[in-house]
Amino acid sequence: MSVPVSEPAMRQGAPRWPGVIEAYRSHLPVSAQTPVVTLLEGNTPLIPAPALSRKVHPRARVFLKYEGMNPTGSFKDRGMTLAISKAAEAKSVAVLCASTGNTSASASAYAARAGMRCIVLIPSGNIALGKLSQALIHQAAVVPVNGNFDECLNLVKEIAQKFPITVVNSINPYRIEGQKTCAFEICDVLGDAPDLHVTPVGNAGNITAQWKGYREYQAAKRVSRVPVMLGFQAKGAAPIVLGKIVAKPKTIATAIRIGNPASWKGALAAVKESDGAISAVTDKEILQAYMLLAKEEGVFVEPASAASVAGLLKLSAERYFDRQPWKSRDAITIVCILTGHGLKDPERALASVRVPKPVAPTMPALIKRLKLC
Ligand SMILES: *Cc1c(COP(=O)(O)O)cnc(C)c1O
């Protein structure tokens, strides 16, 4: 006899992660009337990175917050559980987003879960294979647009003014509210805020949300301090670094190929208030960090995620840690956010390695290939 997988079937008192809304309910804008739409997102691993730590500085303790372990493979699920739950509370029947890929993957999964229609506008030809397959398999109405992300987002804003559809891009404030739980988890595991928080920056919703999370934990006296916030954009898509909109953003890191970030002001506030900075890394530096994470830490991320690690390595090469306040610290705790899973973009992975040719099905051929004698 088969047992239905429902809550009563689970062992009483078994440790069970409830998803970010239940885990952090008192910090989030939800009530008893909010139907919680969750895939049990969050609770992602904070992985110590010894090889990277050694490269960065003798006193560096680097941790990787592996957001690729969320249900749809990116941190977007943290904001989406809240955005879709609030849309359900408002009796919305359809949601809409523009996406470089991960927002659409997440929106389509949570909308499927909630029984809502989901519409996604994507820049044609510029979305990683894994993300496109996710949106399609969850039955979203996917519309490839012959334009870039910023043009897709402008269309989304216009459609939402004319039709009763909920926008679930990070201009939806519930996205930011949900995404701040990433900072809560880091503090809960470390016992306090880290010294440095390093993250990729695209539309800048994430850095805005993480900073909000740290500030709220500080206000609630859950931590004694807040970290220095460091954000990294790709060189060819670095509007915040340049101080002006980039009309045609270019980078292999498609998730951060954004020329006019929606949360520009939030990102600037985060780095100003925390004594941090937003800087740029080249595609070459991003790919080097991408390979290093895979080869030496055993962690597979998508290229955009590696921007945080690329940025950290760049700072270390510039002797950032030999300056104050770091110079006088015994240990420097650093958290790099790894925003999305490597399986999102298998084409990039295969383009970064030598793909082996087959051998004959014989022992001599195999021994020769493996250079066993
Ligand atoms: C969305 C996304 C980013 C950028 O986050 P923003 O909040 O837009 O700055 C970075 N990496 C991945 C994998 C993403 O999906």
Side-chain angles (χ1 to χ4, degrees):
M1 196 181 82
S2 74
V3 179
V5 183
S6 63
E7 300 202 26
M10 291 179 177
R11 184 160 63 83
Q12 276 292 310
R16 175 174 175 267
W17 175 256
V20 298
I21 293 181
E22 294 305 347
Y24 296 108
R25 182 173 268 277
S26 66
H27 294 273
L28 296 171
V30 289
S31 71
Q33 278 68 54
T34 313
V36 175
V37 182
T38 180
L39 291 165
L40 309 186
E41 60 296 311
N43 197 25
T44 56
L46 189 66
I47 309 172
L52 183 57
S53 299
R54 278 194 298 276
K55 283 199 168 57
V56 169
H57 197 274
R59 286 177 285 115
R61 307 280 179 274
V62 182
F63 293 85
L64 306 170
K65 182 66 169 162
Y66 194 17
E67 288 288 277
M69 293 300 284
N70 276 297
T72 78
S74 85
F75 74 83
K76 300 294 197 298
D77 294 343
R78 295 179 183 278
M80 206 55 74
T81 181
L82 198 63
I84 298 288
S85 297
K86 294 303 280 190
E89 184 177 351
K91 305 268 187 288
S92 188
V93 292
V95 295
L96 165 73
C97 66
S99 179
T100 61
N102 282 332
T103 299
S104 66
S106 187
S108 56
Y110 283 81
R113 185 94 189 163
M116 283 176 197
R117 216 180 142 204
C118 178
I119 305 165
V120 304
L121 305 195
I122 55 169
S124 175
N126 275 324
I127 160 166
L129 204 60
K131 306 175 189 184
L132 181 60
S133 27
Q134 287 177 289
L136 292 170
I137 204 78
H138 291 302
Q139 311 294 307
V142 176
V143 187
V145 175
N146 283 321
N148 62 27
F149 171 83
D150 303 285
E151 291 168 305
C152 291
L153 185 58
N154 287 338
L155 283 169
V156 159
K157 289 181 192 162
E158 249 180 79
I159 301 175
Q161 276 173 5
K162 301 213 169 74
F163 301 92
I165 307 176
T166 305
V167 178
V168 293
N169 278 103
S170 56
I171 49 176
N172 177 328
Y174 297 121
R175 282 278 309 281
I176 305 286
E177 289 299 313
Q179 282 169 207
K180 75 188 180 188
T181 58
C182 179
F184 296 164
E185 286 178 16
I186 291 167
C187 297
D188 288 345
V189 170
L190 294 178
D192 207 338
D195 292 306
L196 278 165
H197 176 104
V198 192
T199 188
V201 173
N203 220 10
N206 211 23
I207 192 168
T208 302
Q210 290 154 354
W211 179 238
K212 190 167 196 286
Y214 286 119
R215 291 289 298 268
E216 287 183 14
Y217 248 31
Q218 185 187 38
K221 303 217 161 31
R222 299 286 299 262
V223 290
S224 69
R225 56 180 187 192
V226 289
V228 169
M229 301 292 287
L230 299 172
F232 288 93
Q233 300 195 293
K235 190 108 191 254
I240 303 180
V241 178
L242 297 170
K244 58 171 201 272
I245 293 171
V246 175
K248 292 202 168 23
K250 277 200 203 75
T251 166
I252 50 102
T254 48
I256 53 173
R257 185 188 279 156
I258 290 171
N260 185 15
S263 299
W264 194 318
K265 287 202 186 106
L268 286 180
V271 297
K272 185 158 179 271
E273 292 166 23
S274 74
D275 262 328
I278 308 267
S279 320
V281 283
T282 63
D283 278 5
K284 196 174 160 210
E285 289 164 331
I286 289 174
L287 286 175
Q288 278 167 353
Y290 169 76
M291 289 301 284
L292 182 142
L293 283 167
K295 262 172 78 173
E296 297 189 39
E297 297 291 1
V299 178
F300 185 24
V301 298
E302 68 169 285
S305 307
S308 56
V309 171
L312 178 62
L313 288 168
K314 192 174 143 128
L315 286 179
S316 122
E318 291 166 358
R319 307 188 137 261
Y320 175 80
F321 297 105
D322 294 335
R323 289 186 235 143
Q324 291 298 2
W326 315 117
K327 213 173 123 181
S328 46
R329 297 283 177 83
D330 293 337
I332 310 159
T333 309
I334 304 166
V335 172
C336 287
I337 305 296
L338 301 181
T339 45
H341 203 288
L343 290 173
K344 293 276 190 176
D345 197 350
E347 289 171 313
R348 172 57 56 189
L350 291 178
S352 310
V353 294
R354 235 185 64 215
V355 181
K357 297 259 175 343
V359 297
T362 63
M363 278 300 280
L366 186 57
I367 287 170
K368 187 166 171 230
R369 167 67 63 87
L370 296 175
K371 295 192 175 70
L372 291 178
C373 61

